[in-house]
Amino acid sequence: MNLIDQVFGRLKNEGKTALIPFLTVGDPDVDTTVEIIRQLESAGADILELGVPYSDPLADGPVIQRASERALKRQISIRTCMETASLARAAGSSLPFILFTYYNPVLQMGMDAFFAGLQKHGISGLIIPDLPLEEAEELGGRAAEVGVHLIPLVAPTSEQRIERIVRQARGFVYCVSSLGVTGERASFFEGIEGFIAQVKRHTDIPVAVGFGISTREQVTRFSDICDGVVVGSAIVRQVEEAIPLLDDSARREEGLLQIRNFVAQLKL
C-alpha cells in the first residue's frame, strides 16, 4: 500500500489530522535539508512535500521564491530532489514523500527517466501545480504504474471543474485556501468552508488544505473540516531565518531546534 494511504488510514483511526510540511530542497544545502527532514519528523510531521526549486514558480510567493533562488545557486535539480528522498530514508526517515514540482522540469528530464526516478527513490506522491487537467489523466496513469499518487490541486475558482478534477485524484485532494500565490495569510477565501464541503461531496479520499496556513490557530480551524493541513511558506521562512545559525557549526543544533520547535507547536 502507498505510504500516503497508510498514514491517512492510521490517522483516521486515531481521529487525527495529517500535518504536511513543505520544504524547498537544497535550501540552504542538501545535507541540511536531510537534517531538517529528521527534525520535522520528530516534531510530528506526518507527510512531507519536497519542493523542487524552479526559476519561474508561478504558484509560489516571495518566501519560497527566495528559497528557490538560494537552492538554484547550488545547482539543485529535480534529480537532486529525488535523491534527497533516498538520503533522508537512509538517515532513518519513514515519512511519505511528495515531490512538488512544476511541469517544465518533468518535461526536461523526460517522462521515462522521471517516473523511473520517482520509483527508485521511494517517492509516494506527486504534485504539479501547473499541470493542465487535460494531461493529468495520462500522467496519473504513468504515476500509478510506479505506485505514485498524482495529487490534484483544486482552487475556489475551479467551480464546475471540481468533480472532473477530483475524479482522477489519488492519495488526497489538495484544496487551495486562497486565490493567488503561496504565503502566510491572516485570512482566507471567504467561502472556504463551503468550498471544502463541495470538494468532499465529490470524493471519498482524504481532503487537505494549504496555501497561507502558518499558525496553530489556523491549523486547528482547518483540522475541524479537513483530513490534512499543509504548511509551506511559514516553515520555509523559519529555515531562512535559521540559516545564520545553520551555517555556524557551533550553533547549528540551535538552528535545527528552532525549526523543529516551530513545527512541533503546529502539531495537534
Side-chain angles (χ1 to χ4, degrees), residues 171-242:
F172 64 91
V173 178
Y174 188 141
C175 291
V176 176
S177 69
S178 311
L179 305 178
V181 298
T182 62
E184 300 142 272
R185 286 179 171 82
S187 61
F188 302 94
F189 172 65
E190 187 175 346
I192 184 67
E193 283 83 4
F195 162 58
I196 291 172
Q198 183 183 7
V199 172
K200 295 183 96 170
R201 282 197 294 272
H202 291 297
T203 184
D204 294 327
I205 69 172
V207 172
V209 65
F211 275 51
I213 298 170
S214 60
T215 68
R216 181 179 174 86
E217 289 72 23
Q218 292 169 343
V219 172
T220 301
R221 171 185 174 186
F222 287 113
S223 291
D224 290 338
I225 55 176
C226 289
D227 305 290
V229 178
V230 181
V231 181
S233 294
I235 294 174
V236 175
R237 182 188 296 279
Q238 290 294 317
V239 174
E240 180 177 58
E241 292 176 354

Side-chain angles (χ1 to χ4, degrees), residues 59-123:
D60 294 325
V63 173
I64 295 178
Q65 286 184 25
R66 291 198 298 272
S68 288
E69 290 171 2
R70 290 190 292 270
L72 287 170
K73 286 179 180 176
R74 291 184 175 271
Q75 308 299 315
I76 301 299
S77 68
I78 192 169
R79 291 180 188 274
T80 316
C81 296
M82 293 183 186
E83 292 164 359
T84 300
S86 285
L87 292 173
R89 195 70 77 215
S93 176
S94 59
L95 288 173
F97 295 123
I98 297 171
L99 195 73
F100 188 110
T101 180
Y102 289 90
Y103 197 21
N104 195 44
V106 176
L107 294 173
Q108 288 186 346
M109 186 172 181
M111 290 296 174
D112 290 343
F114 175 70
F115 285 106
L118 292 179
Q119 186 174 36
K120 177 182 178 181
H121 296 292
I123 304 293

Side-chain angles (χ1 to χ4, degrees), residues 9-56:
R10 172 177 57 80
L11 292 173
K12 183 178 181 180
N13 290 334
E14 296 172 354
K16 295 180 179 178
T17 303
L19 177 61
I20 309 173
F22 169 100
L23 283 178
T24 299
V25 175
D27 178 35
D29 56 66
V30 168
D31 290 344
T32 305
T33 295
V34 172
E35 288 188 74
I36 293 172
I37 290 171
R38 297 291 290 132
Q39 294 294 328
L40 299 192
E41 188 165 7
S42 68
D46 297 296
I47 298 170
L48 184 68
E49 290 184 12
L50 297 174
V52 177
Y54 184 52
S55 57
D56 189 21

